Amino acid sequence: QVQLQESGPGLVKPSETLSLTCTVSGGSISSYYWSWIRQPPGKGLEWIGYIYYSGSTNYNPSLKSRVTISVDTSKNQFSLKLSSVTAADTAVYYCAKEYVDTAMVPRGWFDPWGQGTLVTVSS
Amino acid sequence: EIVLTQSPATLSLSPGERATLSCRASQSVSSYLAWYQQKPGQAPRLLIYDASNRATGIPARFSGSGSGTDFTLTISSLEPEDFAVYYCQQRSNWPPVFTFGPGTKVDIK
């Protein structure tokens, strides 16, 4: 079955760019939608954005000006860049796959998820 | 933007009791609602999709119901491993934006 694994620096300085990669194993990245979701310590979940394997993207309006999600199908990976970070961006960052049905229509729920990676913004 | 509200914020129950969790949407989401369980230090796990369908491997004691703006997750008889935080989530059609509720913590009484 498909498994996802996040990787990247655990510490980022304020005003710099947070960069994370999600590696997909056990299946192809093609034909699916892939999302980034974050969770500040002790708080709830916030969807950041998604990318389709073809490269089309959609972002949370609240983060849109600072977010870029890209895909590398040759490596079965997709990546997140979040610019101009502040302490408010400290969170566990998850990557997740959106389920698509047999007609390749995205259905709006996430399964599976990666285990998550904590990124702390601090000088 | 569709806002999801969950109640109660915390539910204190004993093993074997029935848990009833509520999720309300600020506008109709039809049946496009999912429920997740999250334990400390773990990623969320999909429990229910399309409001009432159990995900693969989810025990029958978990059930979902509702449509439109009001949804319920029921755990018929709490097992020790069910004490966790539960989130509801929806995706709006256009623009396709995903939102989560604030969560309900089910803890041991």
Side-chain angles (χ1 to χ4, degrees), chain A residues 61-73:
Chain A
S62 68
L63 297 168
K64 187 174 183 176
S65 63
R66 299 193 292 130
V67 174
T68 302
I69 299 177
S70 58
V71 65
D72 186 338
T73 55

Side-chain angles (χ1 to χ4, degrees), chain A residues 35 37 39 43-47 50 58-61 94 98 105-111 113-116, chain B residues 1 32 34 36 38 41-46 49-50 55 87 89-91 95-102:
Chain A
S35 279
I37 298 159
Q39 184 173 37
K43 297 188 178 181
L45 299 159
E46 179 181 36
W47 174 74
Y50 74 58
N58 187 48
Y59 302 134
N60 188 322
Y94 295 100
E98 184 181 357
V105 174
R107 296 304 306 277
W109 64 83
F110 301 109
D111 184 50
W113 297 54
Q115 66 183 27
Chain B
E1 177 187 332
Y32 298 119
Y36 300 85
Q38 187 178 35
Q42 296 184 16
R45 177 176 71 144
L46 178 69
Y49 62 90
D50 284 353
Y87 294 96
Q89 175 254 315
Q90 69 83 34
R91 187 196 72 169
V97 174
F98 300 80
T99 54
F100 292 87

Side-chain angles (χ1 to χ4, degrees), chain A residues 17-20 36 66-70 79-83:
Chain A
T17 296
L18 177 160
S19 296
L20 295 173
W36 286 98
R66 299 193 292 130
V67 174
T68 302
I69 299 177
S70 58
S79 297
L80 168 70
K81 290 188 185 299
L82 182 65
S83 63

Side-chain angles (χ1 to χ4, degrees), chain B residues 43-83:
Chain B
R45 177 176 71 144
L46 178 69
L47 295 177
I48 301 288
Y49 62 90
D50 284 353
S52 60
N53 295 298
R54 273 190 304 277
T56 302
I58 301 303
R61 63 181 181 272
F62 291 92
S63 63
S65 64
S67 65
T69 60
D70 290 296
F71 301 87
T72 300
L73 174 69
T74 301
I75 310 171
S76 59
S77 178
L78 283 163
E79 296 288 339
E81 62 268 27
D82 298 337
F83 292 93

Side-chain angles (χ1 to χ4, degrees), chain A residues 68-105:
Chain A
T68 302
I69 299 177
S70 58
V71 65
D72 186 338
T73 55
S74 67
K75 295 182 179 179
N76 238 29
Q77 295 177 334
F78 62 105
S79 297
L80 168 70
K81 290 188 185 299
L82 182 65
S83 63
S84 305
V85 297
T86 69
D89 295 309
T90 293
V92 174
Y93 285 77
Y94 295 100
C95 54
K97 175 188 171 188
E98 184 181 357
Y99 179 81
V100 296
D101 62 23
T102 52
M104 302 310 293
V105 174

